[in-house]
Amino acid sequence: MSSSSKEPVPSDGMKTFGAVLKSFRKRAGATQEGLAEEVGCSSHFLASIEQGRRLPPVGFIDQCEAALDAFGTLRLAANQLSRKPGLASWFRQWALLEQEALALNTYECRLIPGLLQTAAYARTLFVNQLPPLGDEQIEAQLAARMERQQLLTDRPNTAYSFILEEHMFLRRTGGHHVTMELIDHVLGLAERRNIEVQIMPVVRENHAGLAGPIQLLETPENKWLAYAEGQRSGQFISDPKEISVLQMRYARMRPQALSFEDSVSLLQRMRGAA
């Protein structure tokens, strides 16, 4: 994904949690490298949390509590993490779950999913939002989105599947240059072993996803959850019956969409014909 030099502006809660974690780590005589190895993450990931630049996953908090004998203090500090600049309140729970997911399946028919957006594409969306956003709001949302995209590189063992409608590229949101950059970006991501991109062609007589976007996630406990987002709110879904319906629809869409190889070929043709 198109990288951005911008980091999300740390919230007070994120900075407080990072400082508390660092204090208990030093109290235990542990290095960042040592603690990272013990809890199963990279030292870079741990450093980002200590610096207040990353939201700690729930499992990470519990592991650090046990490793550092923190008397429940880390969980208390985590209670201050309810706010994060740039993320909608209804999306925060899902964003935390994404950081531990074993698999993430996404079907989108409205716009390119946030995990795949370039900075220029995302900025176009924010600039055109109504009611209008202020400059600081735009920068905060853009930084949060770019930071969230680190999941694709920080979690190489997570399987990401994206089914994208062809018309989202044909719309040319942001103009010709933004669209060409976006196509290049998605093609680059598709080269990663853990990312599969499929294109749903414009002409498709049978389509299992006509009811709207789908996001499905598998937790470390092999439990599946879902998320549905509207224009002004989001719905977190944990009911197994509802999850089953969404999984059925997503599974049906996979053979209805172009294969991975044909999808890449189509994007390449779009890029070359421009």
Side-chain angles (χ1 to χ4, degrees), residues 184-223:
D184 283 342
H185 178 59
V186 173
L187 284 170
L189 289 174
E191 295 177 359
R192 301 185 66 87
R193 289 190 297 274
N194 63 325
I195 299 175
E196 181 180 51
V197 176
Q198 291 182 260
I199 304 298
M200 185 69 77
V202 172
V203 179
R204 191 69 180 87
E205 293 185 4
N206 299 300
H207 193 322
L210 296 179
I214 295 175
Q215 290 195 62
L216 290 162
L217 177 152
E218 183 181 9
T219 72
E221 296 75 33
N222 304 113
K223 179 180 179 180

Side-chain angles (χ1 to χ4, degrees), residues 1 3-4 16 43 48 58 73 89 93 111 130-131 155 158 167 174 180-181 200 203-204 207 212 223 226 260 262 270:
M1 98 193 8
S3 63
S4 169
T16 297
S43 56
S48 293
V58 175
T73 308
S89 58
Q93 183 181 11
L111 46 81
L130 293 173
R155 298 191 59 81
T158 296
H167 70 77
M180 294 305 102
E181 181 188 39
M200 185 69 77
V203 179
R204 191 69 180 87
H207 193 322
K223 179 180 179 180
F260 172 73
D262 288 344
M270 284 185 182

Side-chain angles (χ1 to χ4, degrees), residues 91-230:
F91 187 73
R92 291 170 194 146
Q93 183 181 11
W94 187 258
L96 285 171
L97 289 166
E98 281 184 332
Q99 296 188 40
E100 296 184 297
L102 299 180
L104 188 67
N105 298 341
T106 302
Y107 163 64
E108 185 55 76
C109 57
R110 303 167 302 184
L111 46 81
I112 301 300
L115 286 174
L116 302 181
Q117 293 174 9
T118 62
Y121 182 92
R123 184 182 293 278
T124 297
L125 300 180
F126 296 140
V127 168
N128 284 280
Q129 189 167 313
L130 293 173
L133 299 175
D135 290 343
E136 290 186 4
Q137 291 174 302
I138 290 174
E139 293 307 317
Q141 292 197 20
L142 179 62
R145 183 153 301 179
M146 294 298 102
E147 190 268 347
R148 177 175 162 245
Q149 293 178 355
Q150 293 180 22
L151 287 171
L152 298 178
T153 53
D154 285 353
R155 298 191 59 81
N157 299 119
T158 296
Y160 296 94
S161 166
F162 298 93
I163 300 176
L164 311 175
E165 291 288 345
E166 180 184 358
H167 70 77
M168 297 190 301
F169 295 95
L170 299 177
R171 182 179 293 134
R172 299 205 172 189
T173 300
H176 174 81
H177 176 75
V178 170
T179 301
M180 294 305 102
E181 181 188 39
L182 177 67
I183 293 174
D184 283 342
H185 178 59
V186 173
L187 284 170
L189 289 174
E191 295 177 359
R192 301 185 66 87
R193 289 190 297 274
N194 63 325
I195 299 175
E196 181 180 51
V197 176
Q198 291 182 260
I199 304 298
M200 185 69 77
V202 172
V203 179
R204 191 69 180 87
E205 293 185 4
N206 299 300
H207 193 322
L210 296 179
I214 295 175
Q215 290 195 62
L216 290 162
L217 177 152
E218 183 181 9
T219 72
E221 296 75 33
N222 304 113
K223 179 180 179 180
W224 283 89
L225 301 168
Y227 176 76
E229 187 167 277

Side-chain angles (χ1 to χ4, degrees), residues 220-239:
E221 296 75 33
N222 304 113
K223 179 180 179 180
W224 283 89
L225 301 168
Y227 176 76
E229 187 167 277
Q231 292 211 359
R232 297 283 292 164
S233 64
Q235 180 185 9
F236 182 81
I237 304 169
S238 58
D239 184 342

